[in-house]
Amino acid sequence: MIDEMIWLGGKSNAELGFFVLGTSKRPGLPNTVDRTLSIPGRNGLWNYGADHEARNFNYECAFITKDYMELQQRVMTLAAHLVDSYGKPRELELKQRERPGQAFVVQYAGSFDVERIMGVGKFALPLVAYDPFAYGTQERIYETTITQSPENVQIFSGGNIRAFPYIVLTNVGTTTLRSFRIANEYQIE
């Protein structure tokens, strides 16, 4: 039986017929792009901050089948799952067993070489998340009716990355809304 370790585009590695080995690379943070400036006559560098690069995942995997024919079928099934109808790498939602409730948007990037010995095929599955952050898989909706003016409504996000809210205002009464103000404030660390 194959343990479910990752899900790609709604299908687990078990459904796609491969094992994820324990030597896979799952970075804690992506590499940084450091913004610095060297000024002649001054020691060191001016630091203008940093941003994150894309997050790369490299899963060490294996197909274990009864013969080379079944191995080839599984290779072709996985290859078809990684690309779109034009043969280009498609975006897939990546979920990991060790990060429940979170998902990355990834696509295949690199080489899909399978080292074959009879019915066993070892391979690396390289994926890249161009947006390096994981997002919650469940949307949180807060709905309220505002009955007085002025009224403050505070909504707190439990995440560790600033996220922009999606706000919809609907007037269900007969009174015309003359003005409103939305403030998106963050706590300074």
Side-chain angles (χ1 to χ4, degrees):
M1 183 169 160
I2 301 174
D3 287 336
E4 292 182 330
M5 301 292 289
I6 62 172
W7 290 259
L8 277 172
K11 290 187 176 182
S12 72
N13 61 288
E15 290 174 90
L16 293 167
F18 67 90
F19 290 87
V20 177
L21 307 177
T23 56
S24 300
K25 180 182 169 192
R26 297 181 284 268
L29 284 173
N31 292 335
T32 59
V33 176
D34 300 315
R35 311 239 189 273
T36 60
L37 177 66
S38 174
I39 298 176
R42 182 182 182 279
N43 293 324
L45 299 170
W46 279 111
N47 181 10
Y48 291 100
D51 293 310
H52 290 287
E53 288 183 349
R55 188 183 297 243
N56 294 297
F57 299 91
N58 195 21
Y59 291 99
E60 294 297 324
C61 305
F63 292 113
I64 300 177
T65 63
K66 61 183 179 196
D67 61 32
Y68 70 94
M69 295 289 284
E70 184 182 346
L71 174 59
Q72 182 60 30
Q73 290 303 312
R74 288 196 191 175
V75 169
M76 291 184 336
T77 299
L78 179 58
H81 187 68
L82 296 173
V83 297
D84 64 15
S85 60
Y86 296 102
K88 306 250 186 225
R90 69 182 180 116
E91 288 187 343
L92 299 162
E93 182 180 69
L94 169 67
K95 295 180 185 177
Q96 301 169 316
R97 184 174 71 176
E98 66 270 13
R99 294 183 78 157
Q102 296 181 349
F104 293 92
V105 176
V106 299
Q107 68 184 80
Y108 163 73
S111 177
F112 181 39
D113 296 324
V114 180
E115 183 181 325
R116 301 165 195 246
I117 302 171
M118 299 296 282
V120 176
K122 288 183 70 178
F123 64 97
L125 180 59
L127 302 170
V128 62
Y130 292 107
D131 179 352
F133 299 108
Y135 292 92
T137 55
Q138 292 184 344
E139 180 178 58
R140 292 196 177 112
I141 298 175
Y142 176 78
E143 203 171 304
T144 187
T145 302
I146 298 174
T147 57
Q148 60 187 2
S149 179
E151 183 168 336
N152 288 331
V153 177
Q154 292 186 356
I155 300 171
F156 296 97
S157 170
N160 58 2
I161 303 280
R162 292 181 182 184
F164 296 104
Y166 179 70
I167 300 171
V168 176
L169 296 175
T170 305
N171 185 7
V172 293
T174 57
T175 307
T176 303
L177 293 175
R178 299 199 192 283
S179 66
F180 61 90
R181 182 176 152 251
I182 298 173
N184 192 6
E185 299 175 355
Y186 297 106
Q187 180 178 356
I188 298 174
E189 299 170 356

